Amino acid sequence: MSLTGRKVAVFALGGTIATTADPLTGGLTPALAAEQLLRDVSGLDALGVELRVHDFRRLPSASLSLPDLDALHAAIGAELDSGRVDGVVVVQGTDTVEETAFYLDLLHQGEEPVVFTGAMRDATKAGPDGPANLYAAVIAAAGPWLRGAGCVVVLGDEVHAARTVQKSHTTSPAAFTSPGSGPLGLVAEGRVRLHQRLPHRTVVPAGIGATADPRPVRVALHTVAFGDDGTQLDLLEGRCDGLVLAALGAGHVPEWLVPRLRRLADQVPVVLTSRIGNGPVLTRTYSYPGSERDLLAGGLIAGGDLSPYKARLLLLRLLATGCHDRTRIAETFAAIARRGC
């Protein structure tokens, strides 16, 4: 189909795609404005898509904050509420894009797609991938194929759901995968070719709980390692509002950690995930001390197949909106687990 006359808002946040080399040190820093990035995209003008460009931030993605994302959500909402655009492209660094896309996906309630993209190779390298990724992202955001998909990540011409996408390599241009499900589709010949149905989504709007917490919510993440003696867990008592546990295998810990985890679960919501990042936490298979059945019986909440990083953001979002009820938190995680991708 022709995309002529379609309108897309582009929000640039910085990242590798916007980096240039410092003439003195040779080190890379985000310095390019959004207009400069788009100017280098061959064939973009020929698409006929009208772009509304916002130079929103100019930061490495590791330095983006939750207030930055909340402000981005508000700015995207203003564009969409105006009825002036058919979709949105967010350009940022790839280090945190799997988390930022998921967080915005929890907030975004519109039908218009929000497409995240970036680059693994900066413009000083041979074969930078930024321009091609921008070109594919604009196509994905402008067309009708991803309406209702929420937030997606488009890199290397592949379309990934925010819920499943992971960065699986530090430098490869093919770093982004969706373990267990594969990509939603492919951008080719000026359109999105879907491989599967669009994902079911869980949105956590403001007001899901009683009263939103006025102070910053702290959700800790603890990764269990071989021989973990529990000292770090002891340090968390009284210092966090929630905890995500990245356990071994399908949701297991050394048996000597169980009393500490039960004590924490009596104080704050503790969500059980796996440090592996591919596959679900089991709920009813193993029953030895420290197994998933033992932990869930002790008050932990099953995190399904969400990665620890995304489970942390979901728990943080629930707590920040005033949802402190353990049953409701567990139901939200269970709903995501049932729906899958």
Side-chain angles (χ1 to χ4, degrees), residues 116-310:
F116 285 73
T117 194
M120 293 297 295
R121 289 177 177 159
D122 64 89
T124 69
K125 301 290 192 301
D129 56 330
N133 288 337
L134 266 173
Y135 180 79
V138 169
I139 290 172
W145 310 284
L146 296 173
R147 283 190 64 83
C151 296
V152 300
V153 174
V154 172
L155 286 156
D157 287 340
E158 290 187 329
V159 183
H160 295 271
R163 182 189 174 282
T164 58
V165 68
Q166 290 187 19
K167 187 174 184 178
S168 57
H169 197 280
T170 57
T171 61
S172 171
F176 284 84
T177 60
S178 286
S181 66
L184 288 176
L186 177 73
V187 181
E189 296 184 323
R191 58 162 296 172
V192 173
R193 300 172 183 269
L194 291 172
H195 302 327
Q196 52 184 290
R197 290 181 301 173
L198 296 181
H200 296 285
R201 301 174 55 228
T202 296
V203 177
V204 187
I208 187 173
T211 304
D213 200 324
R215 62 182 177 82
V217 174
R218 294 187 178 92
V219 175
L221 171 60
H222 178 76
T223 302
V224 179
F226 180 78
D228 192 333
D229 66 2
T231 300
Q232 294 181 47
L233 289 173
D234 291 339
L235 295 174
L236 292 174
E237 287 199 48
R239 296 177 180 271
C240 62
D241 303 293
L243 169 66
V244 170
L245 186 74
L248 303 168
H252 307 142
V253 303
E255 62 179 289
W256 56 82
L257 294 188
V258 174
R260 289 178 169 92
L261 290 169
R262 290 192 174 198
R263 190 163 60 246
L264 280 167
D266 285 339
Q267 301 167 23
V268 298
V270 179
V271 176
L272 177 64
T273 68
S274 171
R275 70 180 193 175
I276 293 173
N278 186 5
V281 165
L282 298 178
T283 59
R284 51 189 177 89
T285 300
Y286 296 94
S287 58
Y288 54 80
S291 68
E292 79 281 354
R293 291 179 71 168
D294 185 37
L295 294 172
L296 296 175
L300 275 68
I301 296 167
D305 63 354
L306 280 180
S307 74
Y309 314 110
K310 292 177 182 176

